[in-house]
């Protein structure tokens, strides 16, 4: 139904044309609705006649009200409504980076929280990939869906059997449209640049550089996550990092303020003499 409606939607067909052939200059787009898609063009792709925004289907206008009504059933409120439509560790994206200094890196990124799991290995075979997925699922639980490109390790029969046995939907991006797995694709690029920079500047082994990168990335605030870090969205709390040691521990603001006051100052009476600092403009 969505595919059929997409084919009948003139705006979405124009968007598909621009995705395939290129977007005009921003100033040449006069339609506000089309301009909205143009602003997000780097996150748009096409899979099986669907327009994808990152890893989500763009719903044609004719069905948007119906889907919102379905999500709103029972009037759950905005926050609960969002939690029904999305959530941590529901859809994960996989890709391999490397070889970097003869090592491969399996990159796993959660679509909702942007939380990354990365494993360093000497190869990138399907059996090894499944073993690392088992380790990851033992830690976080299994996702609903797993998105990969068409790499040989991801298209193998044993990975298909693994997903079927685990009741996980395996989504393979269309050939020549690897950007459909944009979550992992972008992260691989970030990982490549960061590892080389960390190893060069700090002169440490790649395995240690990887852990440094993960700690920084997981604890860094992101505009995509509304000013929160991947760790905070994933677990509901920020990660403790070395810089946190610069903050006082075990004393809140009210307690630290009260310790600055003398016992007599806490029992002031009307008319008592006190010192006060008055801030005035220099000209007055």
């Amino acid at each position: 139904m969505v595919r059929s409606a997409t084919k009948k939607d003139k705006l979405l067909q124009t968007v598909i044309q621009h995705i395939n052939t290129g977007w005009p200059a921003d100033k040449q787009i006069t339609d506000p609705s089309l301009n909205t898609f143009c602003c997000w063009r780097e996150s748009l792709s096409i899979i099986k006649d669907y327009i994808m925004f990152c890893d989500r289907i763009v719903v044609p206008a004719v069905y948007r009200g119906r889907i919102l009504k379905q999500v709103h059933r029972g009037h759950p409120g905005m926050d609960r409504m969002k939690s029904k439509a999305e959530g941590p560790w529901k859809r994960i994206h996989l890709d391999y980076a490397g070889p970097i200094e003869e090592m491969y890196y399996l990159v796993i990124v959660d679509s909702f929280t942007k939380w990354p799991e990365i494993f360093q290995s000497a190869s990138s075979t399907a059996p090894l990939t499944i073993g690392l997925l088992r380790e990851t699922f033992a830690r976080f639980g299994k996702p609903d869906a797993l998105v990969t490109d068409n790499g040989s390790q991801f298209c193998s029969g044993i990975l298909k059997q693994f997903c079927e046995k685990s009741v996980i939907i395996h989504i393979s991006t269309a050939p020549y449209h690897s950007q459909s797995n944009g979550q992992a694709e972008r992260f691989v690029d970030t990982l490549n640049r960061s590892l080389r920079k960390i190893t060069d500047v700090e002169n440490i082994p790649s395995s240690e550089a990887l852990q440094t990168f993960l700690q920084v990335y997981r604890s860094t605030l992101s505009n995509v996550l509304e000013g929160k870090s991947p760790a905070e969205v994933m677990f509901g709390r920020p990660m403790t990092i070395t810089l946190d040691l610069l903050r006082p521990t075990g004393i809140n603001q009210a307690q630290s303020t009260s310790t600055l006051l003398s016992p007599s100052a806490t029992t002031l009476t009307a008319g008592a003499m006190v010192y006060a600092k008055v801030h005035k403009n220099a000209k007055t």
Side-chain angles (χ1 to χ4, degrees):
M1 292 168 63
V2 172
R3 180 187 292 133
S4 176
T6 298
K7 292 180 179 179
K8 297 177 182 178
D9 191 302
K10 292 183 179 179
L11 173 62
L12 295 188
Q13 286 302 301
T14 302
V15 172
I16 289 176
Q17 180 181 352
H18 288 319
I19 293 175
N20 287 328
T21 62
W23 288 84
D26 294 347
K27 294 182 180 179
Q28 296 178 359
I29 299 178
T30 58
D31 185 346
S33 298
L34 184 60
N35 187 59
T36 299
F37 285 94
C38 183
C39 291
W40 295 98
R41 57 186 178 271
E42 297 300 329
S43 300
L44 298 175
S45 59
I46 302 171
I47 299 180
K48 298 180 180 178
D49 299 324
Y50 298 105
I51 299 177
M52 304 294 294
F53 174 70
C54 294
D55 60 345
R56 289 172 288 176
I57 291 177
V58 174
V59 179
V62 66
Y63 286 127
R64 290 173 191 166
R66 180 174 177 177
I67 290 177
L68 283 175
K69 183 178 179 180
Q70 178 68 24
V71 176
H72 272 292
R73 290 183 64 189
H75 305 284
M78 182 180 296
D79 291 337
R80 288 184 59 198
M81 183 189 75
K82 288 181 178 179
S83 69
K84 288 172 65 177
E86 301 173 50
W89 210 250
K90 296 293 184 182
R91 180 191 295 257
I92 62 173
H93 293 246
L94 271 67
D95 199 4
Y96 267 99
I100 303 175
E101 296 183 357
E102 301 182 352
M103 298 299 292
Y104 291 89
Y105 295 84
L106 174 61
V107 174
I108 305 174
V109 183
D110 176 34
S111 173
F112 183 74
T113 67
K114 316 308 177 190
W115 175 272
E117 286 290 313
I118 304 178
F119 297 92
Q120 186 184 65
S121 62
S123 65
S124 58
T125 64
L128 175 65
T129 302
I130 292 174
L132 296 176
L133 286 175
R134 284 199 177 100
E135 180 180 339
T136 305
F137 296 166
R139 186 177 300 123
F140 300 107
K142 73 176 188 66
D144 294 334
L146 186 154
V147 184
T148 71
D149 60 18
N150 287 276
S152 58
Q153 63 274 82
F154 300 133
C155 294
S156 68
I158 58 173
L159 182 63
K160 179 180 179 180
Q161 294 175 3
F162 172 75
C163 289
E164 290 176 350
K165 185 177 180 179
S166 303
V167 196
I168 297 173
I169 300 172
H170 181 199
I171 302 172
S172 297
T173 58
Y176 311 110
H177 279 277
S178 59
Q179 66 269 27
S180 303
N181 190 23
Q183 296 271 351
E185 292 282 336
R186 287 189 293 272
F187 200 91
V188 164
D189 180 62
T190 301
L191 175 66
N192 281 327
R193 289 185 284 105
S194 299
L195 283 183
R196 296 184 191 281
K197 183 181 296 184
I198 294 172
T199 52
D200 290 344
V201 173
E202 300 190 19
N203 193 26
I204 57 177
S206 58
S207 57
E208 185 177 343
L210 173 60
Q211 300 309 316
T212 299
F213 167 77
L214 283 173
Q215 184 187 51
V216 172
Y217 191 94
R218 290 165 173 171
S219 61
T220 300
L221 306 184
S222 170
N223 291 332
V224 177
L225 301 176
E226 299 180 351
K228 297 181 179 180
S229 67
E232 192 170 359
V233 181
M234 184 74 165
F235 302 113
R237 64 174 181 82
M239 286 178 61
T240 300
I241 59 176
T242 305
L243 291 178
D244 291 327
L245 297 175
L246 297 176
R247 301 171 181 170
T249 58
I251 301 177
N252 59 36
Q253 184 64 30
Q255 289 174 323
S256 61
T257 301
S258 65
T259 58
L260 299 177
L261 301 176
S262 65
S264 60
T266 61
T267 56
L268 293 175
T269 58
M273 297 293 291
V274 298
Y275 282 103
K277 187 172 184 179
V278 180
H279 298 271
K280 289 186 176 181
N281 191 296
K283 295 182 180 180
T284 61

